[in-house]
Amino acid sequence: MSESKVIVITGASSGIGKASAELLAKDGAKLVLGARRENVLKEIAENIDKLGGEAVYQSTDVTDDDQVESLAKLAIDKFGRIDVWINNAGIMPQSVLSEKKIQDWNNMIDINIKGTLYGIGAAIPYMDKQKSGHIINVSSVAGHQAHQGSAVYSATKYAVRAISESLRQEMVDAKNNVRVTVISPGAINTGLLSSVTDPEVKAGMEKFYAAYSIPVERVALTIKQAIDLPADAAWNEVVIRPTNQLG
């Protein structure tokens, strides 16, 4: 069960990260929260204390390997171990390739791919030493199928899935009991739409999300269920969509 587990979450200031932290806190999990907005993390940590959990936090830019390593060190210094690491930080500034939004492309690559790699790199040495652990990487249904306007975003989320499968095989070979799970959400009511910079693409996505999106707590529950599975089994990949979402 997630009770008393030490769980690190990146992108913890909003959306899936925030909802997961608050849900896991109700089980008494010990949370280590990372995001860029330290003032928001402080508020979430205070709320977690009220929910019966315990939380520490640190301003963390996942594109900076040193900051991610520092977040892992915070978990070890405060709680002595890392049981679960959730790579949740991500952005979705979708646009058609002909717009040549190179800065958006670079930002997605840095946060969605490198941020995931840095999280894995920070957590695995501790998990390997303690011979247990769980890496949860948040991908997307866009990591299963690409559409017009989603080329780079989809590429980063396909990458998260590829990285996760390679990691799973490496952990099996290492015999260190580290589980690997990929969560691929569909239309979820998070703050991701705010990162879409192309007005036309954003308008279409807002209309779609207004019609189909489901609350972020549904993904948080899925993450909790993956954590609570007995240690001898793992959900390696979960796709969660609104019931009425076609693609």
Side-chain angles (χ1 to χ4, degrees):
M1 302 294 287
S2 51
E3 181 178 1
S4 77
K5 286 189 174 181
V6 178
I7 302 174
V8 181
I9 306 176
T10 67
S13 62
S14 63
I16 293 169
K18 178 177 181 287
S20 297
E22 292 177 344
L23 179 62
L24 294 165
K26 294 177 183 178
D27 268 357
K30 297 176 174 63
L31 283 304
V32 181
L33 310 178
R36 287 176 292 186
R37 296 180 294 170
E38 188 172 6
N39 60 320
V40 179
L41 291 177
K42 182 176 184 292
E43 294 176 5
I44 295 170
E46 291 172 350
N47 188 46
I48 283 172
D49 288 340
K50 295 175 184 177
L51 292 171
E54 184 177 356
V56 293
Y57 60 90
Q58 187 165 287
S59 177
T60 307
D61 180 347
V62 298
T63 68
D64 185 328
D65 180 40
D66 289 338
Q67 292 190 33
V68 179
E69 292 284 349
S70 180
L71 186 66
K73 188 175 185 300
L74 174 64
I76 297 301
D77 289 347
K78 180 66 177 179
F79 300 118
R81 60 187 294 113
I82 299 173
D83 295 299
V84 183
W85 185 291
I86 303 174
N87 284 308
N88 168 69
I91 58 171
M92 187 179 66
Q94 298 194 19
S95 61
V96 294
L97 292 171
S98 59
E99 292 287 339
K100 201 177 179 182
K101 296 200 173 196
I102 292 176
Q103 189 58 56
D104 284 351
W105 301 350
N106 288 336
N107 289 341
M108 280 187 279
I109 290 167
D110 288 344
I111 294 173
N112 298 357
I113 300 179
K114 292 181 180 179
T116 297
L117 289 169
Y118 294 159
I120 291 168
I124 289 301
Y126 298 110
M127 293 181 177
D128 191 58
K129 185 176 181 180
Q130 67 197 26
K131 298 301 177 187
S132 67
H134 194 170
I135 300 289
I136 299 178
N137 295 327
V138 178
S139 179
S140 169
V141 295
H144 293 257
Q145 51 187 328
H147 299 287
Q148 177 177 306
S150 77
V152 179
Y153 178 68
S154 287
T156 66
K157 292 304 187 177
Y158 270 93
V160 169
R161 292 179 59 223
I163 290 164
S164 301
E165 175 57 16
S166 292
L167 176 64
R168 183 192 71 80
Q169 294 183 28
E170 290 176 15
M171 296 301 94
V172 171
D173 189 59
K175 297 180 171 59
N176 59 11
N177 303 306
V178 174
R179 302 188 291 177
V180 179
T181 299
V182 183
I183 306 292
S184 294
I188 309 298
N189 190 18
T190 71
L192 269 182
L193 287 182
S194 65
S195 68
V196 181
T197 58
D198 185 296
E200 186 174 343
V201 172
K202 186 174 184 177
M205 293 185 71
E206 285 177 338
K207 183 177 180 181
F208 180 81
Y209 271 62
Y212 297 107
S213 68
I214 55 177
V216 70
E217 286 77 14
R218 305 298 184 265
V219 183
L221 178 59
T222 301
I223 288 173
K224 181 182 183 302
Q225 290 169 330
I227 292 170
D228 288 347
L229 199 67
D232 63 355
W235 285 356
N236 298 131
E237 186 155 12
V238 181
V239 178
I240 173 171
R241 290 183 179 91
T243 301
N244 294 322
Q245 180 180 342
L246 181 61

